[in-house]
Amino acid sequence: MTENKIEEVETRREIHDLSSLESFLLHNDNFKNVSYISDVPEVCKEYPCILGIDEAGRGPVLGPMVYGTAFIPINEQTLLTTLQCADSKALNEEKRDDIFENICKHSKKMGWAVEVIAPNSICNSMLSRSKYSLNQVSMDSAIGLIKMALANSVKVEHVYVDTVGKPEKYQEYLKSLFPQLHITVAKKADSTYPVVSAASICAKVTRDHALKVWQFHEGIKVKEFGSGYPGDPVTKKFLTDHCDPVFGFPQLVRFSWSTASNALEGNAYHVEWEKVEDEKSGSTQKIPITSFFDKINKTSLEPEKKRHHFFTDRCLSRNVKF
Amino acid sequence: MAIRIQSGKNNILTNSSNSTVQSVPFKIDADCDAPVRKYFQPFVQKTENNVLTASFRGYPLKGTKIQLPEGYQGMVLHESLKPDFEKLQDRHFFVVNKFEELTFWNWDKIPSKNDVFLKALDWIDIAEALHRPGTEQ
């Protein structure tokens, strides 16, 4: 987790509607993770709260994965239904944008936070030496959001999380980290608990707008890149049109997705990385027994002069040719 | 078979601009220009402990700047004719630029004295000590 620390924003840029969300996203380098927490209303510090957590953009080959949370005092939770917080996938983009702005407007009653995990940061984790899986990235982000809410004095009572992997195992893991909190981890929590729906909407809206204002630091001109789902023909076209033979794709793309690596195989030069040391493959060279009966070659009798390990350690050899 | 290295007409060694050289931890089956300034440089960052970070095709890289040892000069050479190793002809290289430092990159590992590349530079001091003409007898 040390590598992907949530970065603090130096100058606080308030988000209170869609346009300030966009300027916040534009202001931060899109190849680094960034997180944001709204102002915490007094009622959330005073009265026990429920806190929901959900993610957006786990599957697509493009763009950030966003983790979102929303929190509200237990005795105010009917507000969520009034705001029509329901499964974010069942709502269209316009509706989600509206609900997000309404959540912002009710800043005296509820609060929210997001962590934007850059596509580059996802690849870096998945392609690190000690494989840091997407599930672990997800859990760590959720944990980070709970910690951020607690650090900002939200009186968290009950946490509801949409699961990654097996809910029982995940719930146990969270309980061990936050023994003082009630924790519910469930499948499809975003359609069951309005507070998770609210979190899901914050995450989804943030991801959509992050893509909308995406700046290509590579300086390439891109008309459209589609949804990022492998079946989307626009995404497919984007991946073939914007593939540099050496560097591959711009950093919007998650190289660690098979869609991306398959597209690279045909359109870019082959790259070979150092193999991660595998203990099993310590092959002991077998010399066939018949080799002892071979005619002895005279030159092989002269022992080859071995170089001192100072040189072999450093891969130094004599070379007179280029 | 001789190797000839020719310095260009506009005497590059007195030039003030240096090449930016990156030593990367992978092999690529390519010999061509690469848009390093667009796809690589903008993403190079420095952490609090002065380690450089960057990415190549999603792989995390960690790097450090290395100054070439004193008295040494890095040179970027160009060979316009593809060498034919069977014919044992002379080979011609042209100096196209120079460099005084390079960035050494590892895949997700902070460069250290355990890296053979960095260790190899020890030889320069040792060679100097071994091959210096003796002064005492």
Side-chain angles (χ1 to χ4, degrees):
Chain A
M1 181 61 191
T2 48
E3 312 270 318
N4 290 38
K5 256 189 284 174
I6 295 167
E7 285 188 33
E8 295 290 337
V9 189
E10 318 116 10
T11 46
R12 185 164 164 89
R13 290 182 162 244
E14 296 286 342
I15 300 175
H16 42 80
D17 54 16
L18 292 172
S19 73
S20 50
L21 169 67
E22 286 189 355
S23 65
F24 172 85
L25 292 165
L26 262 176
H27 180 76
N28 290 287
D29 285 331
N30 59 21
F31 56 92
K32 290 192 230 161
N33 296 356
V34 64
S35 55
Y36 176 85
I37 182 162
S38 70
D39 279 335
V40 176
E42 284 307 313
V43 287
C44 291
K45 295 180 182 170
E46 216 171 305
Y47 301 103
C49 290
I50 46 171
L51 181 144
I53 294 178
D54 196 13
E55 130 288 318
R58 189 181 154 85
V61 68
L62 303 177
M65 174 166 81
V66 178
Y67 255 81
T69 181
F71 44 89
I72 189 165
I74 296 169
N75 56 9
E76 299 277 2
Q77 59 179 309
T78 49
L79 172 67
L80 296 169
T81 2
T82 321
L83 294 179
Q84 290 179 284
C85 289
D87 184 0
S88 75
K89 287 187 190 82
L91 302 164
N92 64 20
E93 193 177 336
E94 205 186 347
K95 192 79 195 142
R96 283 193 301 263
D97 283 355
D98 280 352
I99 299 173
F100 176 75
E101 291 210 307
N102 280 328
I103 290 174
C104 293
K105 274 185 201 139
H106 287 84
S107 61
K108 289 277 177 291
K109 288 200 171 153
M110 65 180 296
W112 58 280
V114 283
E115 185 187 11
V116 182
I117 306 166
N120 184 51
S121 156
I122 299 173
C123 307
N124 282 181
S125 299
M126 291 171 76
L127 298 170
S128 63
R129 279 178 185 274
S130 50
K131 306 249 162 62
Y132 180 45
S133 75
L134 189 62
N135 275 2
Q136 198 58 48
V137 173
S138 304
M139 290 183 196
D140 286 341
S141 183
I143 292 160
L145 288 175
I146 299 173
K147 284 186 178 161
M148 186 156 67
L150 292 171
N152 283 274
S153 327
V154 179
K155 202 170 176 188
V156 184
E157 169 95 8
H158 202 138
V159 178
Y160 296 88
V161 189
D162 197 55
T163 196
V164 287
K166 286 210 168 104
E168 298 81 16
K169 232 176 129 188
Y170 190 7
Q171 177 156 322
E172 203 138 302
Y173 179 48
L174 287 178
K175 270 193 177 149
S176 70
L177 292 172
F178 305 101
Q180 77 279 25
L181 306 177
H182 291 287
I183 289 166
T184 303
V185 178
K187 279 183 188 161
K188 299 208 165 98
D190 57 335
S191 50
T192 318
Y193 306 101
V195 74
V196 180
S197 304
S200 160
I201 288 163
C202 294
K204 182 78 175 129
V205 169
T206 305
R207 173 174 150 91
D208 286 349
H209 287 267
L211 287 174
K212 209 172 148 193
V213 299
W214 191 269
Q215 300 279 305
F216 287 90
H217 292 276
E218 294 85 0
I220 55 168
K221 287 203 175 71
V222 177
K223 255 201 351 235
E224 48 182 0
F225 43 73
S227 64
Y229 283 99
D232 186 339
V234 181
T235 297
K236 270 190 195 160
K237 190 171 179 330
F238 165 77
L239 291 177
T240 36
D241 289 357
H242 297 280
C243 181
D244 179 80
V246 174
F247 290 97
F249 305 113
Q251 294 210 355
L252 170 72
V253 177
R254 301 181 190 169
F255 285 83
S256 43
W257 260 236
S258 62
T259 321
S261 50
N262 291 343
L264 268 187
E265 247 163 58
N267 299 313
Y269 293 116
H270 178 69
V271 167
E272 231 165 88
W273 293 85
E274 159 199 347
K275 300 255 184 315
V276 178
E277 276 167 54
D278 189 0
E279 278 169 26
K280 278 176 277 171
S281 69
S283 61
T284 43
Q285 253 194 330
K286 283 200 184 102
I287 304 168
I289 195 159
T290 49
S291 71
F292 295 100
F293 304 105
D294 281 355
K295 273 192 189 161
I296 292 164
N297 194 333
K298 249 199 174 166
T299 49
S300 70
L301 274 178
E302 290 162 25
E304 208 188 310
K305 208 173 159 196
K306 263 200 177 164
R307 301 209 81 197
H308 189 271
H309 68 77
F310 174 87
F311 298 103
T312 50
D313 277 358
R314 288 164 176 77
C315 296
L316 289 170
S317 60
R318 287 164 191 275
N319 214 342
V320 288
K321 281 185 196 153
F322 271 104
Chain B
M1 188 183 94
I3 290 166
R4 297 177 204 282
I5 296 174
Q6 285 164 312
S7 146
K9 278 179 199 147
N10 44 349
N11 203 0
I12 271 152
L13 293 181
T14 56
N15 233 356
S16 58
S17 78
N18 284 326
S19 275
T20 316
V21 178
Q22 321 273 354
S23 159
V24 289
F26 51 84
K27 273 187 200 149
I28 179 159
D29 295 347
D31 184 7
C32 62
D33 289 341
V36 180
R37 217 165 286 151
K38 281 165 82 182
Y39 280 82
F40 189 78
Q41 297 283 34
F43 307 100
V44 176
Q45 300 281 311
K46 200 182 223 166
T47 65
E48 308 99 72
N49 12 343
N50 279 333
V51 177
L52 299 171
T53 62
S55 294
F56 182 80
R57 295 197 185 177
Y59 281 74
L61 303 180
K62 292 198 168 100
T64 185
K65 286 216 161 143
I66 301 168
Q67 303 297 320
L68 295 188
E70 241 187 272
Y72 283 76
Q73 173 72 64
M75 285 192 289
V76 184
L77 303 180
H78 179 75
E79 186 178 36
S80 6
L81 293 170
K82 217 176 180 187
D84 183 346
F85 289 105
E86 288 177 5
K87 282 192 189 157
L88 294 176
Q89 281 166 332
D90 285 4
R91 293 179 67 186
H92 292 272
F93 290 89
F94 290 91
V95 181
V96 279
N97 211 345
K98 62 184 175 87
F99 60 96
E100 255 113 52
E101 62 167 30
L102 59 89
T103 314
F104 175 79
W105 295 100
N106 262 336
W107 166 38
D108 195 24
K109 195 167 68 177
I110 295 172
S112 72
K113 264 289 178 184
N114 291 324
D115 292 305
V116 286
F117 185 92
L118 300 181
K119 266 204 270 188
L121 294 173
D122 292 346
W123 172 242
I124 285 170
D125 288 337
I126 293 171
E128 170 110 358
L130 284 175
H131 299 300
R132 197 175 15 220
T135 46
E136 290 165 57
Q137 195 57 258

